[in-house]
Amino acid sequence: MPADPSENDHPAAEPAELLDPSPEQTAGGVGGWIAANRCDILWALALGLMFSVLYIRVAQDYRTMAGYTVYDNVLFDADHCDALKGWISKHKGTHPLLPLFAVPVSAVFGRVCGSYELGLAVMSGCIGGFAVILLFALCRMLVERLPAVAVAALFGVSMNQIVFSGIPDTYILVAISTMPSFMLLLYGLRSGKIPILPWICAGVLAFSITITTLAQMAICLAVLVTVTRKSFRQLIGYGVGICSAAIAVGTLLVMIQQFLFPDAQLFFRPDVYEHEMQYLTPLLVERPGAVADELIKSFFLFNFVGQDPLVIRHEPGLRVELVYYRASVEYGWLAMAAVVPWLLLYTWGAFKTAYDGTNRAFIVTAWLCVGSHLALHSFYSTDELFLYAPHYSFIVLLTAVSPASTAGKYAPGCWIAVVLLMGASNLQTHSRMIANFGGSMPSWLVAPDAEWRYLPGKSAPDPSWQYHGFDDSRWSTGRAGFGYGDDDDTTVLSDMQSNYTTVFTRTNFEILQKDQIADLFADVNYDDGFVLYLNGTRVLARNAAGSIDYSSRATRDHESGRARRYRLPIDRLVDGRNILAAVGLNRALDSSDMSLEVRLSCVRKPDSR
């Protein structure tokens, strides 16, 4: 990467004193601080607004992806279902700020936007934009304004930032939870002060979003105490005291969360712990070469310039994963035009920064944090590395940002050029992915909270029970799902065990223009079998015999859990009132559980939207 031969003659950058205002600013109060930093504030707001709009648009595109429903976890193999289902039963109690923050805020966004899913998209985009603002503020403490804008923009157009600000979840909160620790580190290195309360707050923020970020905060604090105090006793005192206080407050938040959301998981519960620890494997010992290759690709390549995701087709549905473990590096010409200058810029920037004594302790800290992530993921399931990209991507950037790597005649232009190339490449990848796998927004015909009529299979129903014209007014009324035994049923059949093995259900829905429907899908969550009827015609069955009566049983076991998607024949629909009927089948009278939950959705033709 070319550099100005005279750049070492340039004075060190004059970063904004965002955390340590001058006496003149202090004398003027908040007004004086705002006046002195007006350009920085305007740039921060502009960056935040621009990227928020971009991410909200990306999130809207992701909502059109095949398989994107509340009940299918198929988009990028990420936990977006956690958000769509409210974060309560999925995210762990050791991440208390996720449900304590995300649940009420997402509800507010849902009300304002008129749709919970749309509200999540807007909220995720705003969180992503705020992360860009924070990185700009952090970079502004390191370098001049234009380079800070360029670095923040590069972070904003990086592949992981686009993806995780568009997915309706809160992965990007991880980066936000770590940035204050680096800001406090810079403030402490320049002032020699260690403000206890802000450091405790930074620790609480880190611990309450994800435990791994607490290590980053501890590294920042340890370096600061080592440099400014140079006393092992003070290092232990500050480190243990502040970290203990942060963990104590975080534990209190866990208890509050458990009180407010008793169904939330706690990581230290044996069943949750056992589930999570399945991903911890000694891959470094088993396949050191493959692990090193994956870490390098994830940390320095794919997270910044993305290639087309892996696509795994299966029946039913489509699985799209941004996972590159054991995948070859395949870039198109535009992506290569971004990758080459990016790697050159990063290598050159990291080299110049390593020899820049302006912020030596800060750079050492950034590399220690990158190293800690490398060490952690060396023993973790590396095929999930992309999901943890927000943990470390901005820290990788910090290892190449300094006055020496951003000053001079050519360096700012190089950073801006890489931003433009990287953004163009990643947005092209995004557009190509949506073109290949996107579609019309699915709309519910029979929604998750639809009302059904149902009859326990204690005796034979009328032979016409699944047809038009049948009078179901004497049947009971309930909402899906139907069942017992595993605490996931809305309508509980408390008398089913040992008494009967079937439940008959039916509901109706309206179709105005049958010829405008392109696809019809049934999402079914079942234990152990079912038969589905559309306007009296048997259209789908699993673990069911050819002929069904009230004493029938499922032909094999099947555990409920994630709903499965099935395509149904459109020619069975009629304009006007339609009847969807289903019978749920249990494997045995004394079975410990049974479930049946059916939803119906359609995708309309483009000209009908």
Side-chain angles (χ1 to χ4, degrees):
M1 182 62 55
D4 184 1
S6 63
E7 68 182 3
N8 290 331
D9 297 329
H10 284 262
E14 298 178 359
E17 299 293 343
L18 295 176
L19 294 177
D20 192 15
S22 67
E24 292 79 7
Q25 295 174 17
T26 304
V30 175
W33 185 90
I34 293 176
N37 296 277
R38 184 174 299 164
C39 287
D40 287 331
I41 293 172
L42 291 176
W43 268 111
L45 292 176
L47 286 168
L49 178 61
M50 178 178 66
F51 281 104
S52 293
V53 171
L54 170 64
Y55 300 148
I56 292 170
R57 183 66 184 90
V58 167
Q60 289 295 87
D61 287 341
Y62 288 163
R63 293 177 68 204
T64 72
M65 292 281 288
Y68 185 107
T69 74
V70 176
Y71 303 95
D72 290 331
N73 188 11
V74 298
L75 178 61
F76 299 134
D77 199 31
D79 299 330
H80 72 279
C81 283
D82 298 0
L84 295 171
K85 299 181 78 170
W87 284 288
I88 300 302
S89 61
K90 293 289 184 180
H91 272 99
K92 314 303 173 292
T94 38
H95 305 163
L97 283 185
L98 291 181
L100 291 180
F101 166 81
V103 171
V105 173
S106 61
V108 171
F109 272 92
R111 292 191 188 97
V112 171
C113 297
S115 162
Y116 184 61
E117 288 188 7
L118 178 58
L120 282 171
V122 174
M123 184 185 76
S124 299
C126 291
I127 292 174
F130 183 62
V132 175
I133 290 177
L134 276 185
L135 186 61
F136 168 74
L138 176 56
C139 290
R140 191 64 185 91
M141 298 174 69
L142 287 166
V143 296
E144 294 179 351
R145 183 174 296 118
L146 181 59
V149 170
V151 174
L154 192 148
F155 173 69
V157 299
S158 63
M159 192 62 180
N160 79 77
Q161 176 71 0
I162 290 176
V163 168
F164 291 110
S165 297
I167 290 179
D169 209 307
T170 51
Y171 284 104
I172 205 58
L173 278 175
V174 173
I176 292 173
S177 73
T178 311
M179 290 181 190
S181 297
F182 284 92
M183 291 180 172
L184 287 171
L185 170 63
L186 270 175
Y187 169 77
L189 290 173
R190 290 172 180 172
S191 67
K193 300 175 182 178
I194 306 179
I196 303 299
L197 184 57
W199 273 106
I200 292 176
C201 292
V204 172
L205 181 64
F207 175 81
S208 299
I209 296 299
T210 178
I211 296 176
T212 55
T213 57
L214 183 63
Q216 315 305 304
M217 172 266 180
I219 291 172
C220 291
L221 178 60
V223 170
L224 176 60
V225 176
T226 301
V227 172
T228 59
R229 296 299 185 267
K230 298 181 180 179
S231 166
F232 181 76
R233 184 174 181 179
Q234 288 182 320
L235 173 63
I236 298 299
Y238 276 100
V240 173
I242 291 175
C243 290
S244 297
I247 293 173
V249 176
T251 303
L252 177 61
L253 291 176
V254 172
M255 296 172 65
I256 294 173
Q257 176 200 312
Q258 188 67 4
F259 175 78
L260 296 175
F261 307 116
D263 294 332
Q265 299 185 48
L266 295 175
F267 182 78
F268 41 80
R269 266 178 30 196
D271 56 329
V272 179
Y273 178 80
E274 181 179 355
H275 173 77
E276 293 299 312
M277 292 305 289
Q278 67 177 309
Y279 302 112
L280 189 63
T281 55
L283 293 177
L284 182 64
V285 177
E286 296 175 0
R287 295 187 297 273
V291 170
D293 176 64
E294 176 64 17
L295 292 175
I296 292 171
K297 288 190 300 185
S298 295
F299 272 67
F300 303 106
L301 190 57
F302 291 144
N303 293 332
F304 292 95
V305 182
Q307 65 178 12
D308 285 342
L310 300 180
V311 178
I312 303 173
R313 295 182 180 275
H314 65 94
E315 292 299 332
L318 178 73
R319 189 180 187 88
V320 180
E321 297 183 355
L322 276 175
V323 173
Y324 299 110
Y325 185 52
R326 296 181 182 174
S328 59
V329 179
E330 297 178 357
Y331 282 120
W333 68 267
L334 182 57
M336 284 302 299
V339 165
V340 173
W342 154 245
L343 292 179
L344 288 174
L345 176 68
Y346 176 77
T347 304
W348 173 79
F351 176 80
K352 297 294 292 184
T353 298
Y355 283 91
D356 180 11
T358 307
N359 297 293
R360 182 63 53 80
F362 182 84
I363 299 305
V364 169
T365 304
W367 276 112
L368 286 174
C369 289
V370 170
S372 72
H373 276 303
L374 286 168
L376 171 66
H377 291 297
S378 295
F379 291 91
Y380 203 72
S381 178
T382 54
D383 59 351
E384 292 195 346
L385 267 176
F386 197 88
L387 298 182
Y388 294 88
H391 290 57
Y392 50 75
S393 290
F394 85 92
I395 306 177
V396 170
L397 272 178
L398 292 180
T399 62
V401 176
S402 67
S405 66
T406 57
K409 183 184 299 183
Y410 301 111
C414 290
W415 281 91
I416 293 173
V418 171
V419 169
L420 296 176
L421 287 170
M422 187 179 294
S425 174
N426 288 337
L427 291 177
Q428 183 193 64
T429 298
H430 166 78
S431 298
R432 187 165 56 245
M433 180 171 57
I434 296 302
N436 290 337
F437 311 118
S440 300
M441 291 287 290
S443 57
W444 292 116
L445 296 175
V446 178
D449 59 350
E451 189 174 85
W452 293 67
R453 294 283 185 171
Y454 72 96
L455 176 72
K458 300 176 182 179
S459 58
D462 188 284
S464 64
W465 72 273
Q466 71 270 42
Y467 291 93
H468 278 280
F470 173 71
D471 181 11
D472 59 12
S473 59
R474 295 186 179 182
W475 286 25
S476 301
T477 301
R479 299 188 186 279
F482 300 91
Y484 71 92
D486 45 14
D487 298 325
D488 63 351
D489 303 300
T490 303
T491 301
V492 179
L493 307 174
S494 56
D495 63 337
M496 185 173 189
Q497 189 174 27
S498 302
N499 290 318
Y500 54 95
T501 58
T502 58
V503 57
F504 299 86
T505 66
R506 54 180 276 140
T507 190
N508 64 83
F509 59 95
E510 297 288 330
I511 292 290
L512 298 180
Q513 294 177 299
K514 168 191 170 183
D515 60 343
Q516 294 300 316
I517 294 180
D519 272 310
L520 184 66
F521 299 103
D523 296 333
V524 188
N525 189 11
Y526 63 99
D527 181 342
D528 294 294
F530 70 91
V531 179
L532 202 63
Y533 302 88
L534 185 56
N535 293 321
T537 300
R538 177 168 167 160
V539 292
L540 182 65
R542 288 294 181 271
N543 299 341
S547 177
I548 298 296
D549 60 28
Y550 78 99
S551 62
S552 296
R553 302 184 182 190
T555 56
R556 66 180 65 180
D557 292 326
H558 180 273
E559 289 299 320
S560 60
R562 180 185 303 168
R564 301 193 66 181
R565 169 162 290 184
Y566 305 90
R567 180 176 279 108
L568 300 185
I570 301 174
D571 60 0
R572 300 302 177 184
L573 294 172
V574 297
D575 284 330
R577 186 169 180 263
N578 290 259
I579 300 297
L580 180 67
V583 54
L585 304 169
N586 211 353
R587 183 73 174 89
L589 275 172
D590 60 352
S591 176
S592 61
D593 56 6
M594 180 271 177
S595 292
L596 176 65
E597 189 173 9
V598 180
R599 309 159 205 92
L600 197 67
S601 63
C602 71
V603 173
R604 301 183 183 277
K605 296 177 181 178
D607 60 352
S608 69
R609 291 189 300 178

